[in-house]
């Protein structure tokens, strides 16, 4: 090993590297200092509020959130966590426990986990017509905290993605996080902003998505991953001096074999260089705005599109069966994803109803890409609508007897085996939803 002065050391403790020429200029263990880790921390600090000035480097977003949980518990002396419904924060056991998206299908909710409603202003408790949805949803967090305290529980942290992704590409109402932070800090906890999916300029207007909540809002802990390394395994936790000192006071050092290694830090520095040189944050704002505009045009054309929401290159398209009920169009969304793949376009769905098309493309996504994708989306939706209408019309002669025998108010058919009416088929076709509306009776043979 060699120090910055060129002095040679015999390394008797590095069990990571092998004696080979490829390792001649590689520090493979973060026990040893290197300029890259300091430079990377400095560059990241320039993008964050001054208060967030201590950095821990890791290998993945899951590692980052796990460390954030440890930091919060050590600093507060409390154990419990408040999370948003449908949230996902990582694959480690500690994070599955605070991810309703996962634990509902596994071991269930632990007694130390408390779930607050997702701040969804389209299909949640408080919608777009509410006078102050931010305050209303924050009050729900306060209610959850008070309920936990009544049971003798103590809150260590509130975890939230700055823009909930798995929950359906949700944009929390402005002012929500500051109100929540007030309730959480009053209960003795800290606010953890999970920026793993949405940080590093993706939202366009700001470098970090939590900054959408106002210039004065500062989380106690911020976690980073994914785009921090542009595909390379690197992650980071940023926090305050107070939180870091409490963690250090245990006397148990934080050690991570590969976290903060010179290569990963060099990758991180290169990512920041490219983001700045190619102005990708501004690019995300421009391309994202164009995509939102074209999608809004599709919403006006296709009733199946209930809501378009997003910022920068983080956008959700909420597909519905019915405008009044906003019932998720799950099957239709799945069909659309499959058809897009046949057209060499990769998209996926998310949200509790698996009906939200989620756009979060690479930051190099272009205006041409936008036009191409939306054109294909339009063609598929238009083709499906036309097919529904043509099939409904072709069934008209066979459906007339059924239409005559259906009782008013949705009674059963006079002849078993006939389940659909022309009126129902036409209505479904016109609305772009499922072709048939079944009524009680036997299933047809054809």
């Amino acid at each position: 090993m060699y120090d910055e002065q060129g002095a040679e050391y015999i390394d008797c403790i590095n069990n990571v590297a092998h004696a080979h020429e490829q390792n001649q200029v590689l520090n493979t263990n973060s026990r040893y200092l290197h300029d890259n880790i300091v430079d990377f921390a400095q560059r990241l600090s320039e993008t964050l509020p001054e208060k967030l000035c201590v950095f821990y480097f890791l290998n993945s977003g899951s590692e980052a959130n796990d460390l954030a949980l440890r930091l919060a518990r050590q600093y507060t002396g409390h154990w419990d966590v408040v999370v948003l419904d449908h949230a996902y924060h990582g694959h480690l056991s500690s994070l599955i426990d605070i991810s309703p998206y996962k634990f509902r299908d596994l071991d269930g909710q632990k007694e130390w986990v408390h779930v607050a409603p997702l701040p969804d202003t389209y299909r949640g408790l408080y919608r777009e017509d509410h006078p102050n949805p931010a305050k209303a949803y924050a009050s729900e967090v306060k209610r959850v905290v008070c309920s936990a305290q009544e049971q003798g529980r103590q809150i260590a942290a509130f975890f939230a993605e700055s823009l909930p992704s798995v929950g359906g590409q949700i944009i929390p109402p402005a002012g929500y996080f500051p109100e929540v932070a007030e309730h959480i800090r009053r209960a003795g906890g800290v606010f953890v902003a999970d920026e793993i999916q949405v940080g590093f300029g993706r939202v366009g207007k700001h470098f970090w998505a939590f900054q959408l909540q106002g210039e004065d809002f500062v989380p106690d802990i911020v976690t980073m991953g994914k785009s921090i390394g542009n595909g390379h395994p690197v992650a980071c936790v940023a926090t305050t001096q107070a939180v870091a000192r409490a963690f250090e006071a245990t006397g148990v050092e934080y050690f991570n074999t590969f976290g903060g290694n010179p290569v990963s830090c060099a990758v991180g520095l290169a990512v920041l260089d490219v983001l700045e040189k190619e102005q990708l944050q501004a690019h995300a704002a421009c391309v994202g705005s164009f995509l939102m505009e074209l999608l809004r045009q599709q919403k006006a054309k296709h009733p199946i599109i209930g809501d378009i929401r997003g910022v920068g290159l983080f956008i959700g398209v909420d597909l519905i069966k019915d405008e009044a009920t906003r019932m998720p169009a799950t099957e239709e969304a799945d069909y659309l994803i499959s058809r897009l793949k046949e057209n060499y376009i990769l998209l996926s769905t998310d949200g509790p109803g698996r009906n939200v098309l989620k756009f979060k493309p690479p930051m190099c996504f272009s205006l041409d890409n936008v036009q191409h994708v939306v054109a294909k989306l339009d063609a598929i939706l238009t083709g499906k609508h036309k097919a529904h209408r043509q099939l409904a019309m072709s069934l008209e002669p066979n459906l007339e007897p059924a239409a005559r025998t259906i009782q008013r108010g949705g009674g059963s058919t006079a002849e078993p085996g006939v389940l659909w009416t022309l009126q129902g088929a036409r209505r479904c076709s016109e609305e772009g939803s499922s072709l048939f509306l079944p009524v009680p009776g036997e299933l047809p043979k054809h």
Side-chain angles (χ1 to χ4, degrees):
M1 293 286 291
Y2 300 85
D3 65 16
E4 70 277 13
Q5 303 297 328
E8 183 179 285
Y9 295 77
I10 296 177
D11 185 357
C12 301
I13 58 175
N14 188 347
N15 62 340
V16 177
H18 306 286
H20 192 279
E21 62 183 16
Q22 69 184 25
N23 296 111
Q24 286 184 356
V25 291
L26 172 64
N27 173 355
T28 56
N29 195 308
S30 56
R31 284 188 178 94
Y32 306 115
L33 296 178
H34 194 282
D35 288 343
N36 282 3
I37 191 170
V38 179
D39 292 342
F40 190 26
Q42 178 61 42
R43 288 283 297 280
L44 285 173
S45 71
E46 293 168 3
T47 71
L48 289 161
E50 185 177 355
K51 182 180 176 182
L52 297 168
C53 57
V54 180
F55 299 85
Y56 298 87
F57 292 103
L58 315 93
N59 307 294
S60 70
S62 289
E63 282 192 2
N65 279 337
D66 179 72
L67 177 58
L69 183 58
R70 290 176 58 193
L71 289 168
R73 285 173 167 167
Q74 181 60 37
Y75 176 69
T76 65
H78 301 166
W79 190 259
D80 290 25
V81 178
V82 178
V83 295
L84 295 176
D85 206 359
H86 309 296
Y88 174 64
H89 293 290
H91 66 83
L92 300 180
S93 296
S94 61
L95 305 176
I96 294 295
D97 286 343
I98 64 171
S99 298
Y101 173 73
K102 291 291 186 181
F103 71 58
R104 295 197 194 285
D105 295 323
L106 296 172
D107 298 331
Q109 184 173 340
K110 300 292 194 295
E111 64 177 2
W112 52 269
V113 177
H114 313 279
V115 180
L118 191 66
D120 181 353
T121 57
Y122 180 68
R123 60 174 71 253
L125 290 174
Y126 309 106
R127 302 187 175 184
E128 66 274 9
D129 57 351
H130 193 280
N132 193 343
K135 189 174 186 66
Y137 276 116
S139 294
E140 290 294 322
V141 175
K142 180 181 180 181
R143 177 187 59 79
V144 169
V145 170
C146 290
S147 176
Q149 290 175 325
E150 289 172 0
Q151 301 171 43
R153 313 296 306 189
Q154 293 181 306
I155 305 301
F158 173 83
F159 265 77
E161 286 184 280
S162 298
L163 298 176
S165 179
V166 171
Q169 303 292 92
I170 302 302
I171 311 298
Y176 171 67
F177 280 176
E179 293 251 6
V180 169
E182 185 177 338
H183 298 317
I184 293 297
R185 288 165 180 161
R186 189 178 296 125
V190 296
F191 191 108
V192 181
D194 181 340
E195 291 272 338
I196 291 166
Q197 293 209 54
V198 295
F200 291 87
R202 173 164 294 277
V203 299
K205 294 180 180 180
H206 301 281
F207 198 81
W208 304 104
F210 72 78
Q211 293 170 323
L212 293 166
Q213 292 286 317
E215 294 182 0
D216 295 332
F217 172 66
V218 181
D220 300 289
I221 301 172
V222 173
T223 59
M224 314 167 200
K226 295 190 185 297
S227 57
I228 187 176
N230 192 31
H232 181 84
V234 59
C236 180
V237 175
T239 189
T240 65
Q241 286 280 5
V243 171
R245 287 194 184 107
F247 191 59
E248 294 168 3
T250 63
V252 179
E253 68 167 329
Y254 174 75
F255 174 75
N256 189 313
T257 299
F258 295 109
N261 74 77
V263 172
S264 292
C265 290
V267 169
L269 285 164
V271 168
L272 293 177
D273 287 341
V274 171
L275 286 171
E276 182 178 340
K277 180 180 178 180
E278 299 185 9
Q279 300 181 333
L280 291 182
Q281 182 179 330
H283 178 80
C286 174
V287 176
S289 295
F290 185 55
L291 177 55
M292 287 282 285
E293 177 56 32
L294 294 194
L295 289 172
R296 290 191 185 103
Q297 293 175 16
Q298 294 301 304
K299 180 178 183 296
K301 183 177 180 181
H302 302 290
I304 192 173
I305 299 178
D307 188 40
I308 306 292
R309 52 181 177 264
V311 57
L313 287 176
F314 181 89
I315 296 171
V317 179
D318 201 311
L319 302 185
I320 58 173
K321 292 181 182 288
D322 176 75
E323 184 176 0
T325 64
R326 300 182 179 181
M327 180 181 294
T330 306
E331 297 81 8
E332 291 84 346
D334 185 60
Y335 169 83
L336 188 55
I337 293 301
S338 297
R339 288 297 311 280
L340 285 169
K341 186 178 180 183
E342 292 172 5
N343 284 271
Y344 303 98
I345 294 171
L346 301 179
L347 197 62
S348 61
T349 59
D350 237 322
R354 304 296 298 182
N355 67 304
V356 180
L357 307 181
K358 57 179 184 179
F359 287 85
K360 45 182 184 179
M363 297 277 277
C364 58
F365 203 66
S366 69
L367 297 175
D368 287 342
N369 293 149
V370 169
Q371 290 179 308
H372 178 71
V373 170
V374 175
K376 291 295 184 182
L377 181 69
D378 179 35
I380 295 170
L381 290 176
T382 300
K384 186 175 177 63
H385 180 69
K386 287 181 178 178
H388 278 181
R389 288 188 60 83
Q390 291 171 358
L391 184 54
M393 293 305 100
S394 70
L395 292 171
E396 184 169 349
N398 297 325
L399 289 172
E400 285 179 352
R404 288 196 298 270
T405 57
I406 293 292
Q407 300 175 6
R408 291 190 178 184
S412 61
T413 61
E415 299 178 13
V418 180
L419 291 187
W420 303 297
T421 69
L422 175 61
Q423 181 184 10
R426 276 179 173 161
R427 183 169 70 251
C428 289
S429 176
E430 290 168 356
E431 292 176 351
S433 57
S434 300
L435 177 58
F436 297 118
L437 287 179
V439 294
E442 299 179 6
L443 288 173
K445 295 181 180 178
H446 303 289

